[in-house]
Amino acid sequence: MNRSARVALIFGGLVLGLTVPAFAQTASTNLSVSATVTKNCTISTSPVAFGSYDPVGVNATADLAGTGSVTVTCTKGAGTRIDLGLGANASGTTRRMAGGTDYLTYELYSDSGHTTVWGSGAAAGNTIGAAPNKNPRTVTVYGLVPAGQDVGAASYADTVLATINF
């Protein structure tokens, strides 16, 4: 066999070996894909640290203000209201910090003018509306310790439950 015939035979064999077999028939259907996104929120807080209260000096006649914050991160469209409980040392509806046997009264507000008390429920919680996206939203908590309280020297503290309703 001459050289040209061998090259043609090898080339022809390669072409036949690379040929994709033809299919005579096909069938198709749809593949369903799904997922469920549930409403979810997380909540964290930064403390309301009032600092030093001086019942004999400046706070004999001037209130002591402080701020903290509540940060909520919710699924887009979730989250409607932040509630703040009365605290662990409340007397009726009066919030109090405990310091030994004495109590230092205080209040928490949703506005810087200290006019809207921040509590729980539809009438007293802080409505923040549905989350526009999944980014954290931080809301300021405004605190006020009224002037003129007759309390002993101590460290005063309270724990307030913060809840996001979604």
Side-chain angles (χ1 to χ4, degrees):
M1 190 185 259
N2 70 22
R3 180 174 166 127
S4 299
R6 276 188 279 171
V7 170
L9 185 62
I10 291 171
F11 180 71
L14 286 174
V15 169
L16 287 175
L18 295 176
T19 304
V20 177
F23 294 106
Q25 299 172 342
T26 62
S28 299
T29 188
N30 292 324
L31 171 65
S32 294
V33 179
S34 66
T36 301
V37 176
T38 57
K39 292 192 303 183
N40 189 28
C41 291
T42 60
I43 186 168
S44 62
T45 60
S46 295
V48 177
F50 288 108
S52 296
Y53 183 85
D54 182 0
V56 177
V58 68
N59 299 119
T61 57
D63 298 335
L64 177 63
T67 60
S69 65
V70 176
T71 301
V72 295
T73 305
C74 294
T75 307
K76 184 177 179 179
T80 58
R81 189 183 72 238
I82 301 171
D83 290 342
L84 295 181
L86 288 173
N89 302 297
S91 176
T93 59
T94 302
R95 289 183 166 119
R96 305 183 309 171
M97 292 179 273
T101 58
D102 280 338
Y103 294 95
L104 188 60
T105 62
Y106 70 97
E107 195 53 84
L108 301 174
Y109 301 89
S110 59
D111 65 309
S112 60
H114 305 108
T115 57
T116 305
V117 174
W118 194 337
S120 295
N126 188 351
T127 300
I128 60 170
N133 53 47
K134 66 175 185 165
N135 296 331
R137 294 182 287 167
T138 300
V139 181
T140 302
V141 178
Y142 300 92
L144 196 69
V145 179
Q149 297 185 56
D150 188 13
V151 293
S155 291
Y156 290 81
D158 194 15
T159 302
V160 174
L161 181 64
T163 304
I164 180 71
N165 298 279
F166 59 95

